[in-house]
Amino acid sequence: MEHVLGIGGYFLRAADPAALSAWYRDHLGLDADENGLWRQEAGPTVFAAFESGTDYFGSRDQQTMLNFRVRDLDAMLAQLRAAGADFAEETQDMEGVGRFGWVNDPEGHRIELWQPA
């Protein structure tokens, strides 16, 4: 059986695509080229379905949530705080999995930040 090799892209609708792309570059260090190509570091990727009524993604209007692996969650959250980003104060620890935090991009998409264990 043929199988997928990994996630090839994640696409967002945006009122201002250039500004939203700049926010991801300036606040999360996602330095994509003019075609949106970003070379990420190797590491685990989680693919999981959630119950339709979950509040985990923030707004019920948001059908998916992007999760980024980070090296140091505390440093990333401090960087976002200093930049005035809309982020959740609480974090979550899952034994054997890692630590999680959340930020909303300027267009309201909730993003999860994951420091793997």
Side-chain angles (χ1 to χ4, degrees):
M1 178 179 133
E2 198 57 34
H3 62 275
V4 299
L5 302 175
I7 295 174
Y10 188 83
F11 307 97
L12 299 168
R13 295 179 196 271
D16 187 341
L20 190 60
S21 295
W23 185 89
Y24 278 85
R25 181 194 64 235
D26 297 344
H27 293 88
L28 299 179
L30 201 156
D31 195 18
D33 69 13
E34 66 278 356
N35 298 312
L37 184 62
W38 167 57
R39 300 229 180 252
Q40 62 182 308
E41 293 183 17
T45 299
V46 175
F47 181 85
F50 284 71
E51 293 290 332
S52 62
T54 187
D55 292 325
Y56 195 71
F57 301 170
S59 167
R60 294 263 174 115
D61 293 334
Q62 185 171 328
Q63 296 298 305
T64 64
M65 183 171 60
L66 184 55
N67 170 298
F68 287 117
R69 281 179 275 116
V70 298
R71 202 172 341 274
D72 183 333
L73 181 61
D74 292 328
M76 178 61 78
L77 291 174
Q79 175 179 303
L80 291 166
R81 181 181 299 110
D86 177 18
F87 69 98
E89 290 287 341
E90 75 277 356
T91 60
Q92 181 182 41
D93 294 296
M94 288 183 70
E95 189 168 333
V97 178
R99 298 183 60 226
F100 298 89
W102 299 271
V103 63
N104 291 328
D105 74 19
E107 297 208 7
H109 306 107
R110 182 174 164 111
I111 302 161
E112 186 169 65
L113 305 170
W114 172 33
Q115 179 182 323

